[in-house]
């Protein structure tokens, strides 16, 4: 599954430009290559730290665990896969949610985690996102969701698919209450997550180079034998086609979110 | 025609009549019988031969024919009451299964098609329009796969582009404006996966439909009549009542897609279809759908008129119930219903939970295990069930 993208050590070779980069510099640049600007995937905890005012995070629903509704077994039982992912990533599930401050503005924040089953959405992710949306609605706070996901989680079958409807329904209520919702699309935002809460932001931001789309290149090739053009399904492409409001480098996200809240928040 | 078909519907589908033999080799490349239906096709052949012999030689075979018919009925029951998930998928894809135009012809009176999304073009993969079902005015929306090759290509095999979903939404809003309920008939392998769909924002189109359908101020009834392929199905699949025809399937991913990911080959589709729990029976058990509509013995393709009539009956009865509910209440219940779609518990012992929450209450929200938990939201379902005691009993498939 999601590989640890940054090898351990003092120096690392950027997979974008191939240059040797001093690791500390890379981390200070928020896991962005200082040479070529490639935005690496980051786990949810790191992302939260990068995004919020220090020590302002108050987490919700941290202990939710899937009950494995389908009793799914492929090469190994889903329960084992979940445990392995928990052990390896240190996260309990593919999203963390909570209340925090960004540049002094209170927000409800959800951050998806590419290191936990590729950020896929099962019932726990659906529940945590929905519950975060409801809190934002009830507390009159702006909602910020950092999306990063391969889509609905196959191992929970239709339960996963219905999380798309559930999160979207909560966003309908948030919208009815006049609540602000900012999406930050990061690499990758695809399939069932793209086709639900990710594309429902009042304002949609995306990180440079992020892959954004519905069907993956392989599915498209297998089904209709179409080859995707170069640069297809990137944040830049989506901006050009009118589906993303702004592309924002990681270092500017805090400032951008802050000023958008000043424009549109209550 | 349509109205009489509805009145005639026999809610107890356990009829004694043998389904008519399918047109043998009827230009469909021998698709009249599926692989697992071989024993059935043999029995039909026996009956045909006996009848032919009787006609030719004047010998009386009536008793043998009757015996063969009885065997045939038993064989139908044996096979169709225990379809494996993979066999169900094949029935759902049967080339003779009723398609959207059949529903329009047999179930809807005075259909008035409305084309186009007012933006890009008219997507033939989703058809929308006004119509009357059992004298009730509705907006009917459905995937249309196409019957012959030309139509299939025009309709992209029922795989809709963004403009299809946007057309559907535009017509739903039109319906809501004039207080007409919406009926969605779902039958798609999935949303169209291609360059055009991606660049016109297929993900965004589906997302917007999910949000808007959740708050559309008019009753919505959705029936998966064939294939319920992932986001492409869900894009017109949010509503107050979700039903499935008995041998339809509905899943987060197609069995082939799942097999390709898990076992690196679509040859494991049969295995994947077991794992995915995509049959109406399983999904009803998991409380992920409200009702199962019983198909005629031998599947909808053996008797399309009876299958369509059963769907028509379900839709009209359900609409009658939903129309009695105040819109505010309806929308609250619709939200509650979606909100309850979950399967998790709170694990206070998990490492990341320490300090974050001190709650130790174990909360399992698998609806199947807590039927009473959502009484308020489910009350209308119970009403429907009572109204259709027969359908509901038939639907429980306790075979």
């Amino acid at each position: 599954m999601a590989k640890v993208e940054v090898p351990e050590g003092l120096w690392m070779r950027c997979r974008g430009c191939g240059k040797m980069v001093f690791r500390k510099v890379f981390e200070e640049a928020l896991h962005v290559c200082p040479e070529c600007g490639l935005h690496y995937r980051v786990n949810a905890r790191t992302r939260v730290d990068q995004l919020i005012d220090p020590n302002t995070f108050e987490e919700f629903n941290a202990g939710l665990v899937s009950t494995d509704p389908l009793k799914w077994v492929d090469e190994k039982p889903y329960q084992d896969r979940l445990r392995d992912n928990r052990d390896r990533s240190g996260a309990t599930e593919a999203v963390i949610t909570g209340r925090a401050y960004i540049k002094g503005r209170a927000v409800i924040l959800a951050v998806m985690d590419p290191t936990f089953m590729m950020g896929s959405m099962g019932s726990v992710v659906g529940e945590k996102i929905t519950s975060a949306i409801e809190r934002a609605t009830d507390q009159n706070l702006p909602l910020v969701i950092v999306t990063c996901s391969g889509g609905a989680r196959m191992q929970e079958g239709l339960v996963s698919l219905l999380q798309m409807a559930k999160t979207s329904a909560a966003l309908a209520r948030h919208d009815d209450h006049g609540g602000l919702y900012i999406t930050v699309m990061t690499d990758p935002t695809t399939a069932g997550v793209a086709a639900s809460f990710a594309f429902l932001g009042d304002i949609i931001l995306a990180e440079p180079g992020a892959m954004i789309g519905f069907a993956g290149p392989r599915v498209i090739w297998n089904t209709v034998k179409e080859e995707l053009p170069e640069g297809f399904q990137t944040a830049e492409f989506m901006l050009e086609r009118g589906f993303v409001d702004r592309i924002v480098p990681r270092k500017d996200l805090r400032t951008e979110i802050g000023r958008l809240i000043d424009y549109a928040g209550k | 025609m349509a109205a009489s078909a509805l009145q005639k519907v026999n809610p107890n589908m356990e009829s004694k009549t043998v389904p008519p033999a399918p047109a043998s080799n009827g230009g469909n490349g021998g698709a009249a019988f599926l692989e697992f239906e071989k024993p059935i096709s043999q029995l039909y052949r026996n009956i045909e031969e006996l009848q032919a012999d009787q006609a030719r030689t004047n010998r009386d075979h009536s008793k043998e024919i009757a015996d063969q018919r009885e065997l045939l009925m038993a064989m139908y029951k044996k096979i169709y009451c225990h379809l494996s998930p993979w066999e169900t998928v094949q029935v759902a894809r049967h080339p003779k299964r009723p398609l959207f135009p059949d529903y329009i012809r047999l179930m809807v009176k005075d259909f008035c098609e409305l084309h186009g999304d007012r933006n890009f073009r008219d997507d033939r993969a989703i058809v929308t329009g006004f119509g009357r079902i059992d004298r009730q005015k509705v907006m009917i929306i459905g995937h249309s796969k196409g019957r012959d090759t030309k139509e299939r290509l025009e309709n992209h095999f029922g795989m809709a582009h963004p403009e299809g979903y946007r057309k559907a939404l535009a017509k739903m809003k039109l319906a809501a404006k004039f207080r007409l309920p919406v009926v969605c008939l779902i039958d798609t392998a999935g949303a169209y996966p291609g360059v055009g769909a991606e660049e016109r924002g297929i993900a965004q189109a589906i997302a917007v439909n999910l949000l808007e359908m959740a708050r559309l101020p008019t009753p919505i009834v959705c029936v998966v009549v064939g294939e319920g392929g992932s986001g492409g199905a869900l894009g017109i699949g949010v509503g107050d009542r979700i039903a499935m025809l008995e041998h339809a399937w509905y899943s987060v991913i197609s069995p082939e897609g799942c097999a390709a990911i898990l076992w690196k080959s679509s040859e494991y589709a049969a295995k994947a279809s077991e794992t995915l729990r995509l049959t109406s029976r399983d999904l009803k058990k998991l409380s992920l759908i409200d009702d199962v509509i019983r198909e005629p013995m031998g599947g909808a393709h053996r008797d399309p008129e009876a299958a369509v009539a059963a769907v028509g009956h379900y839709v009209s009865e359900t609409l009658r119930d939903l129309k009695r509910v105040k819109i505010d209440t309806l929308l609250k219940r619709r939200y509650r219903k979606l909100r309850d779609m979950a399967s998790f518990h709170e694990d206070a012992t998990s490492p990341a939970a320490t300090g974050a929450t001190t709650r130790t209450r174990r909360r399992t929200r698998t609806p199947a295990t807590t039927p009473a938990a959502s009484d308020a939201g489910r009350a209308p379902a119970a009403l429907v069930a009572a109204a259709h005691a027969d359908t509901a009993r038939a639907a429980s498939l306790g075979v």
Side-chain angles (χ1 to χ4, degrees):
Chain A
M1 287 256 153
K3 292 172 198 92
V4 178
E5 282 204 67
V6 187
E8 298 298 319
L10 216 53
W11 291 83
M12 52 172 276
R13 186 182 295 280
C14 171
R15 68 170 164 82
C17 59
K19 294 201 177 114
M20 293 302 287
V21 180
F22 195 42
R23 192 179 180 83
K24 200 151 174 266
V25 175
F26 167 80
E27 276 168 12
E28 274 165 12
L30 310 174
H31 297 77
V32 174
C33 173
E35 297 290 332
C36 70
L38 178 72
H39 282 56
Y40 281 72
R41 292 174 186 171
V42 288
N43 68 42
R45 294 281 158 196
T46 310
R47 170 75 71 176
V48 169
D49 290 342
Q50 291 177 354
L51 216 47
I52 66 164
D53 302 345
N55 304 318
T56 58
F57 194 60
E58 178 198 321
E59 190 173 352
F60 314 136
N61 297 327
L64 298 195
V65 185
S66 170
T67 41
D68 186 12
L70 270 50
K71 307 286 164 257
W72 178 286
V73 179
D74 47 73
E75 280 155 349
K76 55 180 164 184
Y78 173 46
Q79 292 281 16
D80 292 0
R81 201 174 288 277
L82 284 173
R83 190 172 356 95
D84 293 351
N85 270 275
R86 277 197 287 271
D87 293 347
R88 192 169 38 72
S89 69
T92 48
E93 255 289 351
V95 71
I96 51 183
T97 55
R99 189 188 147 111
Y101 286 84
I102 295 179
K103 289 260 174 181
R105 288 116 180 133
V107 297
I108 300 292
L109 179 68
V111 175
M112 303 189 78
D113 197 329
T115 64
F116 192 100
M117 291 190 77
M118 204 47 249
S120 60
M121 172 163 64
S123 66
V124 171
V125 171
E127 178 66 25
K128 287 171 91 169
I129 297 265
T130 306
S131 153
I133 298 167
E134 286 178 337
R135 283 175 204 248
T137 309
D138 295 344
Q139 298 174 24
N140 263 320
L141 286 177
L143 169 72
V144 177
I145 303 185
V146 181
T147 61
C148 176
S149 176
R153 188 176 295 168
M154 202 166 55
Q155 287 85 349
E156 291 186 33
L158 198 67
V159 178
S160 299
L161 190 76
L162 294 172
Q163 303 309 306
M164 294 168 61
K166 172 166 146 180
T167 51
S168 303
L171 285 170
R173 283 177 78 243
H174 189 60
D175 184 47
D176 287 342
H177 283 76
L180 170 66
Y181 166 33
I182 299 172
T183 306
V184 181
M185 293 192 177
T186 72
D187 186 58
T189 294
T190 58
V193 165
S196 58
F197 59 87
F199 264 117
L200 293 173
D202 294 305
I203 298 156
I204 299 178
L205 307 179
E207 283 195 338
M211 187 204 174
I212 300 168
F214 183 61
R218 207 176 49 181
V219 174
I220 294 179
W221 175 253
N222 287 344
T223 320
V224 297
K225 302 280 176 265
E226 278 181 345
E227 199 127 17
L228 299 183
E230 187 73 20
F232 201 72
Q233 294 186 328
T234 59
E236 292 72 15
F237 175 87
M238 284 294 165
L239 179 101
E240 196 187 295
R241 297 286 152 157
F243 290 103
V244 164
D245 286 293
R246 294 174 67 79
I247 292 178
V248 182
R250 194 168 291 166
K251 65 175 171 46
D252 299 335
L253 274 176
R254 280 169 47 80
T255 318
E256 282 284 301
I257 292 170
R259 89 170 159 146
L260 288 170
I261 290 173
D262 289 347
Y263 273 115
K266 285 191 271 199
Chain B
M1 169 70 212
S4 66
L6 279 186
Q7 279 146 21
K8 248 183 9 205
V9 70
N10 173 7
N12 177 10
M13 290 288 183
E14 291 277 348
S15 63
K16 295 274 184 298
T17 50
V18 171
S24 50
N25 305 323
N28 225 327
F33 285 102
L34 297 167
E35 187 60 30
F36 61 86
E37 292 180 314
K38 281 262 167 69
I40 292 174
S41 82
Q42 182 59 47
L43 287 166
Y44 272 117
R45 222 170 307 138
N46 294 353
I47 294 173
E48 247 171 56
E49 279 165 19
L50 284 168
Q51 281 168 335
D53 190 64
Q54 187 169 270
R56 203 169 50 238
T57 62
N58 262 338
R59 257 179 281 172
D60 181 19
H61 291 310
S62 55
K63 186 168 179 315
E64 284 133 292
I65 291 174
D67 287 350
Q68 290 290 313
R69 279 186 198 277
E70 214 162 280
L71 271 177
L72 181 62
M73 208 53 222
M75 189 58 78
Y76 261 122
K77 262 195 193 146
K78 188 174 158 207
I79 292 176
Y80 269 87
C81 290
H82 303 97
L83 285 185
S84 73
W86 182 235
E87 287 164 350
T88 304
V89 171
Q90 290 168 269
V91 173
R93 291 171 178 168
H94 195 286
K96 294 262 163 80
R97 194 171 174 85
L99 298 178
F100 189 76
D102 301 307
Y103 285 91
I104 293 299
R105 183 168 53 83
L106 297 165
M107 181 177 97
V108 180
K109 251 189 176 173
D110 191 27
F111 181 60
C112 173
E113 183 170 357
L114 301 169
H115 295 269
D117 70 334
R118 301 293 188 275
N119 183 32
F120 186 70
R121 75 171 163 212
D122 186 42
D123 187 348
R124 301 306 301 148
I126 290 183
V127 175
T128 57
F130 291 128
R132 283 186 170 80
I133 296 177
D134 196 18
R135 276 168 293 173
Q136 301 183 78
K137 291 190 279 184
V138 299
M139 173 63 72
I140 182 150
I141 292 169
H143 294 105
S144 183
K145 287 178 163 179
R147 187 63 81 183
D148 55 32
T149 308
K150 182 172 165 282
E151 212 180 47
R152 280 183 197 150
L153 288 171
E154 278 170 11
N155 296 9
H156 294 113
F157 302 86
M159 296 187 288
H161 279 74
E163 47 274 19
Y165 292 99
R166 292 185 182 125
K167 166 166 83 171
L169 181 59
K171 307 315 175 198
M172 287 186 223
K173 286 185 169 173
L174 173 69
K177 180 174 174 186
F178 298 104
R179 296 259 167 267
L180 296 191
V182 174
V183 176
C184 296
L185 300 182
I186 293 159
D187 187 13
T188 183
Y192 191 86
V195 171
E198 291 290 331
E199 62 189 358
R200 293 195 294 280
I202 184 69
Q204 189 262 359
I206 292 174
V208 169
N209 277 23
L210 303 184
L211 182 143
E212 295 297 345
M213 289 182 87
R215 66 179 175 191
L216 194 80
T218 194
I220 308 176
V221 178
C222 306
V223 184
V224 185
V225 293
E227 298 188 87
S230 189
L234 189 64
I236 57 165
V238 178
D240 302 296
R241 209 70 87 234
I242 315 296
M244 284 174 78
L245 262 181
E246 185 182 351
H247 304 310
W249 66 265
Y250 190 12
S251 170
V252 65
I253 186 170
S254 72
E256 286 84 355
C258 174
I261 293 172
L262 283 183
W263 294 287
K264 311 287 174 230
S265 161
S266 55
E267 282 159 36
Y268 290 89
K271 194 170 161 187
S273 65
E274 307 270 343
T275 319
L276 282 166
R277 308 280 295 273
L278 43 67
T279 64
S280 61
R281 191 195 311 224
D282 280 348
L283 295 175
K284 171 77 185 153
K285 255 188 228 154
L286 290 163
S287 293
L288 298 174
I289 59 167
D290 298 298
D291 300 290
V292 178
I293 304 169
R294 188 84 185 249
E295 290 188 27
M297 184 52 73
H301 56 285
R302 289 279 177 264
D303 193 351
E305 289 183 13
V308 172
V311 172
H313 181 72
Y314 173 82
V315 168
S316 81
E317 291 295 311
T318 306
L319 286 180
R320 254 183 255 285
D321 285 333
L322 293 176
K323 283 198 284 194
R324 284 193 208 113
V325 183
K326 274 203 305 205
I327 290 294
D328 285 358
T329 314
L330 192 78
L331 291 178
K332 271 186 203 136
R333 286 177 186 165
R334 192 184 299 164
Y335 185 72
R336 213 358 85 197
K337 182 178 153 70
L338 289 166
R339 191 69 188 80
D340 282 345
M341 296 296 178
S343 173
F344 61 84
H345 64 265
E346 185 138 4
D347 178 8
T349 61
S350 73
T354 45
T357 172
T358 49
R359 272 194 292 177
T360 51
R361 188 160 60 95
R362 185 187 162 96
R363 185 169 52 159
T364 305
R365 271 235 222 143
T366 308
T369 57
T370 55
S374 52
D375 263 343
R378 303 282 305 174
L383 280 178
V384 175
H388 300 277
D390 292 321
T391 326
R393 207 171 303 128
S396 73
L397 290 175
V399 283

